[in-house]
């Protein structure tokens, strides 16, 4: 059986005095790990990461995913059970992280999660820099780390500044490649499991890991170690919650959600818009990469990186939703390829490319801090204040909309495990108006909602549809329930509030 590679591969040297094909020194160079990693790079990456994440602290939250996770964490703290009384189509790692942060620091602010997001981006940058340095030399390490951080803000601010799934998934994917590059196959498999348990599409990194294993002729025993380390943690979590229930919320219950019937043109338009924005946001790196490819000088030892990029692109495509934050999964491979391309340039030209990339990043940060609209957040803050004025902290509320952050902002418990109308109508921002209605709900969702409403009727029902196709006029079951038991008491910015009949309208 062929032996796995345990010595560092030959690294191509860059234009600072090293010749192509020379073997890097493992003494003081971090050849087999992070030992010897240039200490000067770490503070640079740390400072750059803090600067690019500063806008995340300028708002209480950036998008509904943060609000969903915050509301989930409060439900878990109150004794809820994930995938039973607290549900989502996502793995458990990030809800656990939110729950732990709330237990340590309180649940009124997301600042601990924002700090954790800074550390997650920094960890990915350091690991990617270490991987590049081991293969292609010192300059490539610098380029990879800096490009990764700068590319991490090259999308709409609400997609890049939120402390949500992709931000915490990416360090696991980079760690998987970092370990595989060093022949640490069990650790690589465990990192793949960490990525999957943060977001399902993180499992795409298994393909480049397996490519590396195959290309090094490592043999069957390392393959078994990768497979076992990747599968066993996921299987353990599935057993913890029940295999059927876990599979339902991870995959099998989302058939309508991932179907593009009737909305393919809309989905492709979103794909073009967000991929175009990401390409424009990374334009200097893209141009440098294109120049390196066209020049005929090649990008040595990057086959696995191209596989990584292709697998990540496929992961972005799964479900045909094409939300902007999905494209963050491309950043590690893009940054690594850009680093290899930049080391083909003179140092002066490479610095010029990085400077141009930094200017673009500064533009995205300015957009986030000064120009990105606050209207939706302001509406939800006003709505949460109205809910607080009409209910007591012990009373439950049903928000009929797509902004679960209002539960968290208002400090009120949800009356249903379904925190958005999407579970019950299949509405999604990535789909538009196609296939929206009760008949497209997740299996069992409406019977489950009816049981919840019988068990603990909400004090207030808030129709926050504001003209969307899932509003009460187009949802007959909920409309009939509201007509029987509730009366309209207020309207706020197009949102209609209903209080229980025969009960006081405020707390």
């Amino acid at each position: 059986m062929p032996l796995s590679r345990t010595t560092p591969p030959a690294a191509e040297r860059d234009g600072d005095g090293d010749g192509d094909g020379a073997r890097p020194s493992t003494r003081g160079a971090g050849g087999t790990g992070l030992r010897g990693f240039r200490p000067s790079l770490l503070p640079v990456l740390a400072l750059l990461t803090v600067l690019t994440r500063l806008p995340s602290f300028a708002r209480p939250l950036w998008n509904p995913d943060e609000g969903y996770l915050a509301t989930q964490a409060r439900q878990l703290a109150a004794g809820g059970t994930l995938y039973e009384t607290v549900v989502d189509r996502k793995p458990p790692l990030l809800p656990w992280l939110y729950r732990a942060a709330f237990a340590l620091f309180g649940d009124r602010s997301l600042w601990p999660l924002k700090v954790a997001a800074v550390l997650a981006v920094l960890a990915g940058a350091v690991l990617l820099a270490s991987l590049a340095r081991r293969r292609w030399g010192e300059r490539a390490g610098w380029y990879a780390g800096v490009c990764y951080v700068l590319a991490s803000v090259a999308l709409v601010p609400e997609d890049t500044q939120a402390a949500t799934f992709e931000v915490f998934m990416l360090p696991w994917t980079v760690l998987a490649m970092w370990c595989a590059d060093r022949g640490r196959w069990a650790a690589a498999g465990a990192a793949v499991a960490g990525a999957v348990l943060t977001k399902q599409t993180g499992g795409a990194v298994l393909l480049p890991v397996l490519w590396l294993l195959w290309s090094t002729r490592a043999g069957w025993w390392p393959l078994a170690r990768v497979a076992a380390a990747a599968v066993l943690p996921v299987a353990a979590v599935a057993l913890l919650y029940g295999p059927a229930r876990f599979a339902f919320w991870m995959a099998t219950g989302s058939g309508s959600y991932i179907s593009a019937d009737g909305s393919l043109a809309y989905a492709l338009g979103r794909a073009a818009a967000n991929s175009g924005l990401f390409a424009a946001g990374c334009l200097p790196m893209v141009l440098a990469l294109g120049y390196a490819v066209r020049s005929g000088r090649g990008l040595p030892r990057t086959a696995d990186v191209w596989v990584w990029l292709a697998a990540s692109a496929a992961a972005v495509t799964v479900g045909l939703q094409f939300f902007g934050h999905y494209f963050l999964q491309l950043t590690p491979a893009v940054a690594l390829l850009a680093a290899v391309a930049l080391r083909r340039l003179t140092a002066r030209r490479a610095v010029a490319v990085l400077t141009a990339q930094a200017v673009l990043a500064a533009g995205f940060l300015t957009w986030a801090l000064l120009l990105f609209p606050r209207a939706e957040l302001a509406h939800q803050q006003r709505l949460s204040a109205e809910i607080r004025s009409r209910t007591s902290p012990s009373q439950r509320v049903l928000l009929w909309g797509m902004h679960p952050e209002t539960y968290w902002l208002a400090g009120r418990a949800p009356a249903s495990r379904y925190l958005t109308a999407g579970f019950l109508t299949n509405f999604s921002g990535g789909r538009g108006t196609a296939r929206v209605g009760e008949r497209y709900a997740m299996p069992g969702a409406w019977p489950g909602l009816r049981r919840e409403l019988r068990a603990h009727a909400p004090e207030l029902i808030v129709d926050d549809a504001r003209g969307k196709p899932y509003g009460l006029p187009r949802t007959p079951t909920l409309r009939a329930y509201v007509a029987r038991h509730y009366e309209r008491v207020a309207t706020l910015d197009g949102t209609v509030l209903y209080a229980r009949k025969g009960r006081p309208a405020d707390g």
Side-chain angles (χ1 to χ4, degrees), residues 16-110:
D16 50 7
D18 301 319
D20 279 353
R23 185 178 298 276
S25 170
T26 60
R27 197 168 40 180
T32 60
L34 292 176
R35 294 191 304 275
F37 191 76
R38 282 289 179 92
S40 56
L41 179 56
L42 183 58
V44 170
L45 291 179
L47 177 60
L48 191 60
T49 303
V50 168
L51 289 175
T52 55
R53 299 295 304 180
L54 273 180
S56 69
F57 294 89
R59 302 184 183 203
L61 47 74
W62 275 90
N63 67 21
D65 284 348
E66 286 182 312
Y68 202 111
L69 286 161
T71 303
Q72 275 187 309
R74 277 186 177 164
Q75 290 178 286
L76 293 173
T81 303
L82 200 57
Y83 305 126
E84 186 174 350
T85 60
V86 182
V87 299
D88 195 8
R89 293 182 174 98
K90 295 294 193 299
L93 211 54
L94 204 50
W96 289 348
L97 178 63
Y98 268 66
R99 172 69 185 95
F102 282 4
L104 292 173
F105 302 103
D107 63 2
R108 294 182 179 274
S109 172
L110 297 186

Side-chain angles (χ1 to χ4, degrees), residues 128 147-148 151-152 154-155 166 169-170 173-174 201 204 271 274-279 282 285-286 289 305-317 322-338:
L128 202 69
C147 286
Y148 178 81
S152 71
L155 286 161
E166 285 79 10
M169 176 189 75
L170 289 182
T173 65
V174 181
T201 56
N274 282 319
S275 59
L277 179 61
F278 183 70
C282 299
M285 292 191 294
V286 172
L289 181 59
V305 186
W306 287 106
V307 172
W308 191 4
L309 181 62
S312 299
V316 171
T317 305
F322 297 112
F323 290 112
H325 50 85
Y326 288 10
F327 289 81
L328 289 174
Q329 192 160 352
L330 303 174
T331 53
V334 168
L336 209 53
L337 290 171

Side-chain angles (χ1 to χ4, degrees), residues 168-318:
F168 292 99
M169 176 189 75
L170 289 182
W172 289 110
T173 65
V174 181
L175 178 61
M177 292 297 289
W178 187 91
C179 292
D181 190 60
R182 287 157 173 77
R184 301 177 183 179
W185 303 113
V192 172
V196 170
L197 290 173
T198 305
K199 188 184 177 188
Q200 296 95 316
T201 56
V205 75
L206 181 61
L207 290 178
V209 167
L210 293 177
W211 177 277
L212 270 174
L213 191 152
W214 171 80
S215 64
T216 57
R217 303 181 184 87
W220 289 104
W221 176 236
L223 176 61
R225 289 159 63 196
V226 169
V231 170
L232 289 178
V234 179
V237 172
L239 290 173
L240 176 65
Y241 291 110
R245 182 184 302 156
F246 185 74
F248 176 83
W249 287 103
M250 291 301 96
T252 60
S254 300
S256 294
Y257 181 76
I258 64 176
S259 172
D261 288 352
S263 61
L264 184 59
Y266 183 87
L268 293 178
R270 286 178 60 85
N274 282 319
S275 59
L277 179 61
F278 183 70
C282 299
L283 186 60
M285 292 191 294
V286 172
L287 292 177
L289 181 59
Y291 174 80
V293 171
R294 289 197 309 272
S295 68
R297 301 184 66 186
L299 299 174
R301 298 195 59 246
T302 56
D304 59 317
V305 186
W306 287 106
V307 172
W308 191 4
L309 181 62
S312 299
V316 171
T317 305
V318 170

Side-chain angles (χ1 to χ4, degrees), residues 121-461:
V121 174
L122 178 60
V126 170
L127 287 168
L128 202 69
S130 176
L131 193 160
R133 182 174 182 269
R134 181 174 186 267
R135 287 195 182 187
W136 301 292
E138 190 71 37
R139 281 178 59 195
W142 277 83
Y143 296 152
V146 171
C147 286
Y148 178 81
V149 176
L150 295 179
S152 71
V153 297
L155 286 161
V156 177
E158 69 174 352
D159 291 318
T160 60
Q161 296 297 329
T164 52
F165 298 97
E166 285 79 10
V167 170
F168 292 99
M169 176 189 75
L170 289 182
W172 289 110
T173 65
V174 181
L175 178 61
M177 292 297 289
W178 187 91
C179 292
D181 190 60
R182 287 157 173 77
R184 301 177 183 179
W185 303 113
V192 172
V196 170
L197 290 173
T198 305
K199 188 184 177 188
Q200 296 95 316
T201 56
V205 75
L206 181 61
L207 290 178
V209 167
L210 293 177
W211 177 277
L212 270 174
L213 191 152
W214 171 80
S215 64
T216 57
R217 303 181 184 87
W220 289 104
W221 176 236
L223 176 61
R225 289 159 63 196
V226 169
V231 170
L232 289 178
V234 179
V237 172
L239 290 173
L240 176 65
Y241 291 110
R245 182 184 302 156
F246 185 74
F248 176 83
W249 287 103
M250 291 301 96
T252 60
S254 300
S256 294
Y257 181 76
I258 64 176
S259 172
D261 288 352
S263 61
L264 184 59
Y266 183 87
L268 293 178
R270 286 178 60 85
N274 282 319
S275 59
L277 179 61
F278 183 70
C282 299
L283 186 60
M285 292 191 294
V286 172
L287 292 177
L289 181 59
Y291 174 80
V293 171
R294 289 197 309 272
S295 68
R297 301 184 66 186
L299 299 174
R301 298 195 59 246
T302 56
D304 59 317
V305 186
W306 287 106
V307 172
W308 191 4
L309 181 62
S312 299
V316 171
T317 305
V318 170
L320 299 177
Q321 294 284 339
F322 297 112
F323 290 112
H325 50 85
Y326 288 10
F327 289 81
L328 289 174
Q329 192 160 352
L330 303 174
T331 53
V334 168
L336 209 53
L337 290 171
V340 184
L342 287 173
R343 65 180 292 282
R344 290 298 196 183
L345 304 177
T346 64
R348 179 176 296 180
R349 288 182 177 179
V351 168
V353 171
L354 290 179
T355 300
Q357 188 62 52
V359 170
L360 273 177
F364 279 98
L365 297 180
T366 301
W367 184 12
L369 284 169
L370 303 178
L371 303 175
F372 194 72
R374 301 181 67 95
E376 186 58 50
L377 174 60
H379 168 74
Q380 299 303 329
Q381 289 172 321
R382 289 192 299 271
L383 182 57
S384 65
E386 183 70 17
I387 292 170
R388 283 196 302 271
S389 73
R390 293 180 175 275
T391 57
S392 67
S394 62
Q395 292 174 327
R396 294 174 180 266
V397 174
L398 178 65
L399 292 172
W400 189 248
M402 299 299 292
H403 289 274
E405 64 268 28
T406 308
Y407 287 119
W408 178 69
L409 291 169
R412 299 295 183 264
S416 171
R417 74 192 70 187
Y418 305 111
L419 299 187
T420 72
F423 293 107
L424 294 130
T425 65
N426 198 45
F427 180 83
S428 165
R431 280 286 178 270
T433 60
R435 292 172 62 85
V436 176
E438 292 187 18
R439 64 189 177 123
Y440 300 113
M442 289 192 76
W446 279 102
L449 179 65
R450 285 191 288 266
R451 288 193 299 269
E452 290 170 326
L453 295 178
R454 285 195 299 268
H456 36 72
E459 187 66 21
L460 206 63
I461 293 181

